[in-house]
Amino acid sequence: MTTDSPAASPAPSDFIRDIVAADLASGACQRVATRFPPEPNGYLHIGHAKSICLNFGIAKEFGGTCNLRMDDTNPAKEDVEYVDSIIADVRWLIAGWADEVLRCKADDAPFFASDYFGQIYACALTLIHAGKAYVCDLTAEQTDEYRGAPDRPGRPSPFRDRSVEENLHLLQQMRAGAFPDGARTLRAKIDPHHPNVWLRDPVLYRIRHTVHHHTGDAWCIYPMYDFAHCLSDSIEDITHSICTLEFEVHRPLYDWLLQHLAVPSPRPHQYEFARLSLTYTLMSKRKLMQLVTEGTVSGWDDPRMPTISGLRRRGVTAAALRQFAIHVGVTKYNALTEVAVLEHAIREDLNTRAQRRLGVLRPLKVVITNLPDGHTETVPAANHPLDPALGTRDVPFSREIFIEQDDFAEIPPPKFFRLKPGGEVRLKYAYIIKCEEVVKNADGTIAELRCTADLDSKTGGATSSRKIKGTIHWVSAAHAIAAEVRLYDRLFTEPEPEADGRDFRTCLNPHSLETITAHLEPALATARPDDRFQLERLAYIALDPATTAERPVFNRVITLKDTWAKEAAKG
RNA sequence: UGCCUUAUGGUGUAACGGUAGCACAAACGACUCUGAAUCGUUUUGUCUAGGUUCAAAUCCUAGUAAGGCAGCCA
């Protein structure tokens, strides 16, 4: 119960899984092979997590495989740092769930589109021989000009009718480094007037004298996405190539290239689904990188980031993310999902797995006057209310304790059933106390509360069954450990940070991170990196890597639902 | 004055010509040594207009709205 995800839900169903099932049933394909093909130009985010869950999920459910492949055809934007982070994030997300369907190269490395540069180049030669590609000398600007616009037809390049021999010769020279960047391109010979802009003689190869993070200086020409992607899929025997909606208009090109290159049958087919959008969240790699470079957050793995590494560092589990992916589903509708769905998945997961602990975030000192000076005892506390097998631990209790400031009100609002002057409250696992006196500082703030305890009311005691409406958490002042706790809130104050063309920086939440020193029960001193705890009545927490031997650092993963906050807000 | 795609409660998602269901959110209640969790109840929906059919969320036509496409990015 503490390590497993919540009860497995029924296998998800969506239009893509329907297609896969139909293809298997009809014999269109013998087995299922999907792939997850990120470009290593940034860190993976929760939108990628949706795609990973889809691709690996399908492979798992249908007994197939899923390749992890770096779509690395643009050396100018890519880096090994991103390759490494992507591998780590994918492995973490699928660990214990679908890792057996992950297909890698022999050395356990991911596939790289750049490993196929030789084969892709050979395909370019094939297209030229077939009269289906030509070398074009137009500049980038001229190419744009000739291409026209979505509502304006293009016109043919003046280089469109070069001979096969000349094209062959020029491509070989391009490959040999005879021309500077941008001097020429290889283009498919399709239809300059086609209503679909992507079929107007798309560029297949461009010249880039740039060192590649994976192939070094072996190449100075690099294939474009459209050329490399369909071929990589074919080379890897992918059956279902699943991508996001913006590639829908590219599908005819994907099909054209594979048909004209007569790749082995059955050839892969592309299917598109809607990318994930979340309220109060930014989801573009470029914008996320901006948050990093401008120092708005501490890095790609800042726990406020929607990156997989940020969520992981925050304390969100892979199981919660997978459950979230099931909740949002897979469609072609451009949806905006409420973050509440993510938050629910996180709480649902943590509720079952997190052991309970006591801790006070904003302390208010309470002296229990009818206990002798120096009085100390321990009380047993349940580790998990849903799983008694997890047993109990002894929590030190003494004459002086801390309670939460919010749990006392000198002038209680309506329906406030916590501690108030003259009122009683149950200290969880311990005594019922009554507030006898409010001691104040010179400035009028509350210094401490002086209370008396019903000494027979201890859990299991003679008057322990007395019905007291309120139960609050506490920690022994002398025994509590000091720990840094980082309280996170959403990064933006608006559900759609970029609505109406607004700059997202104008709606950053100034309170997205608050760092406090909390008083935690001693058992939390031995927390380990993968542990998750629920601070009773407050929040789920997880250890941050910034923890040192002297000072533990915890991240608040997410608060508990707070019905009282809602009630209190009503006034 | 182009091409492609999409449209089901506040949000997301089912229903594959035959009772519009589920989840989140919201509201109320029960329970509670966590104002959590759990349990129960409730509110709110098929974009519009035509057509086909015994029967339409589903099929057809037209409209409307939203998204995508004019990188030598992916």
Side-chain angles (χ1 to χ4, degrees):
Chain A
M1 167 164 284
T2 54
T3 53
D4 250 332
S5 51
S9 338
S13 166
D14 53 66
F15 78 99
I16 296 182
R17 278 179 244 247
D18 289 346
I19 291 168
V20 172
D23 285 348
L24 248 18
S26 72
C29 60
Q30 242 50 57
R31 100 231 105 88
V32 175
T34 57
R35 103 267 93 112
F36 174 64
E39 183 189 17
N41 67 346
Y43 280 62
L44 262 26
H45 56 61
I46 191 167
H48 296 108
K50 174 182 178 181
S51 178
I52 293 168
C53 290
L54 212 213
N55 280 293
F56 282 87
I58 286 175
K60 181 180 172 62
E61 291 151 29
F62 293 92
T65 55
C66 181
N67 293 4
L68 172 58
R69 177 168 80 224
M70 298 299 151
D71 207 356
D72 56 348
T73 56
N74 184 5
K77 290 187 175 177
E78 298 156 7
D79 194 274
V80 282
E81 176 196 353
Y82 302 128
V83 173
D84 294 342
S85 73
I86 288 168
I87 295 170
D89 289 348
V90 170
R91 286 193 178 277
W92 174 77
L93 189 55
I94 67 172
W97 168 62
D99 28 17
E100 75 277 6
V101 306
L102 170 65
R103 220 174 123 240
C104 285
K105 294 197 289 188
D107 58 357
D108 230 29
F111 296 99
F112 289 82
S114 56
D115 282 337
Y116 313 136
F117 281 172
Q119 285 154 278
I120 294 168
Y121 181 76
C123 287
L125 263 17
T126 302
L127 283 177
I128 290 176
H129 277 294
K132 293 294 178 187
Y134 61 95
V135 172
C136 179
D137 300 358
L138 255 25
T139 65
E141 296 71 35
Q142 289 170 325
T143 305
D144 284 351
E145 225 288 295
Y146 274 75
R147 182 168 32 235
D151 57 349
R152 180 162 41 87
R155 52 204 170 97
S157 161
F159 306 97
R160 198 164 194 267
D161 294 315
R162 287 217 250 234
S163 69
V164 169
E165 291 67 32
E166 186 181 11
N167 282 322
L168 247 20
H169 177 67
L170 286 172
L171 180 61
Q172 280 154 5
Q173 283 197 295
M174 279 170 63
R175 195 254 188 274
F179 312 120
D181 287 3
R184 294 181 217 264
T185 57
L186 179 75
R187 300 177 66 177
K189 196 168 177 176
I190 305 178
D191 178 3
H193 315 291
H194 198 101
N196 182 339
V197 180
W198 289 99
L199 258 18
R200 321 237 262 230
D201 288 9
V203 172
L204 263 23
Y205 261 106
R206 76 286 214 183
I207 302 171
R208 287 283 176 279
H209 292 270
T210 305
V211 173
H212 187 282
H213 61 91
H214 188 66
T215 59
D217 58 4
W219 295 86
C220 65
I221 59 172
Y222 292 94
M224 297 288 292
Y225 162 83
D226 291 291
F227 197 34
H229 203 91
C230 58
L231 288 173
S232 302
D233 285 343
S234 175
I235 291 165
E236 291 177 10
D237 290 321
I238 301 301
T239 57
H240 300 261
S241 182
I242 303 165
C243 62
T244 44
L245 247 29
E246 67 270 26
F247 293 101
E248 213 155 21
V249 286
H250 293 239
R251 188 175 355 120
L253 178 53
Y254 185 102
D255 293 338
W256 186 94
L257 287 164
L258 293 185
Q259 277 158 19
H260 288 270
L261 285 164
V263 299
S265 186
R267 71 166 178 89
H269 289 269
Q270 173 181 307
Y271 305 92
E272 311 87 14
F273 71 100
R275 60 172 356 123
L276 174 71
S277 296
L278 268 186
T279 56
Y280 297 100
T281 310
L282 229 44
M283 206 71 86
S284 102
K285 275 193 211 172
R286 211 192 94 238
K287 307 277 175 51
L288 293 178
M289 181 169 308
Q290 199 179 337
L291 290 172
V292 174
T293 55
E294 291 178 0
T296 308
V297 297
S298 63
W300 284 98
D301 71 340
D302 186 300
R304 290 167 293 181
M305 292 283 271
T307 50
I308 293 179
S309 54
L311 290 160
R312 177 173 62 229
R313 177 167 180 179
R314 178 137 166 184
V316 174
T317 68
L321 254 23
R322 283 182 231 132
Q323 194 57 37
F324 170 69
I326 291 172
H327 279 308
V328 300
V330 179
T331 65
K332 299 184 84 134
Y333 175 70
N334 243 297
L336 177 62
T337 301
E338 294 179 340
V339 258
V341 179
L342 206 214
E343 294 171 345
H344 175 260
I346 295 171
R347 289 195 180 101
E348 187 180 46
D349 170 74
L350 258 19
N351 180 43
T352 60
R353 78 171 69 231
Q355 289 208 9
R356 314 285 123 123
R357 295 291 185 266
L358 297 180
V360 171
L361 264 22
R362 301 176 207 277
L364 172 59
K365 189 174 167 189
V366 171
V367 179
I368 298 165
T369 56
N370 61 336
L371 248 23
D373 275 347
H375 172 87
T376 295
E377 62 183 304
T378 62
V379 297
N383 286 325
H384 201 122
L386 269 29
D387 187 1
L390 258 17
T392 63
R393 67 195 183 282
D394 288 330
V395 182
F397 177 85
S398 63
R399 188 171 186 268
E400 296 191 358
I401 61 173
F402 291 123
I403 66 168
E404 208 70 50
Q405 287 171 14
D406 284 350
D407 287 337
F408 173 77
E410 201 170 6
I411 305 163
K415 296 187 196 168
F416 184 85
F417 43 88
R418 302 177 184 182
L419 194 58
K420 55 194 173 193
E424 284 190 313
V425 77
R426 153 77 62 187
L427 295 175
K428 178 102 181 174
Y429 305 122
Y431 303 90
I432 294 168
I433 59 169
K434 181 177 184 181
C435 177
E436 308 284 1
E437 185 186 357
V438 180
V439 181
K440 297 205 173 175
N441 297 308
D443 64 0
T445 56
I446 299 172
E448 65 176 45
L449 265 24
R450 299 184 76 78
C451 300
T452 52
D454 172 351
L455 298 177
D456 291 325
S457 67
K458 191 171 159 184
T459 304
T463 55
S464 67
S465 56
R466 278 176 58 203
K467 288 295 175 200
I468 298 293
K469 185 65 175 165
T471 299
I472 64 175
H473 59 277
W474 53 272
V475 76
S476 167
H479 303 87
I481 59 167
E484 179 174 323
V485 177
R486 298 174 178 176
L487 307 175
Y488 297 105
D489 197 355
R490 45 186 60 144
L491 248 186
F492 299 99
T493 55
E494 295 291 331
E496 297 180 70
E498 297 190 292
D500 309 317
R502 168 214 291 135
D503 185 331
F504 64 81
R505 288 172 296 193
T506 62
C507 57
L508 284 165
N509 176 7
H511 310 295
S512 61
L513 168 61
E514 184 182 0
T515 303
I516 62 166
T517 297
H519 297 76
L520 307 179
E521 71 164 272
L524 250 8
T526 55
R528 289 167 294 116
D530 284 335
D531 288 339
R532 305 287 186 285
F533 299 98
Q534 183 199 94
L535 250 27
E536 295 209 46
R537 302 209 310 132
L538 294 175
Y540 294 100
I541 58 171
L543 211 59
D544 187 89
T547 293
T548 63
E550 301 77 50
R551 184 175 172 85
V553 177
F554 286 96
N555 293 318
R556 182 175 70 187
V557 187
I558 193 166
T559 62
L560 257 42
K561 275 177 70 177
D562 192 349
T563 308
W564 167 243
K566 243 182 261 174
E567 181 67 35
K570 289 178 187 168

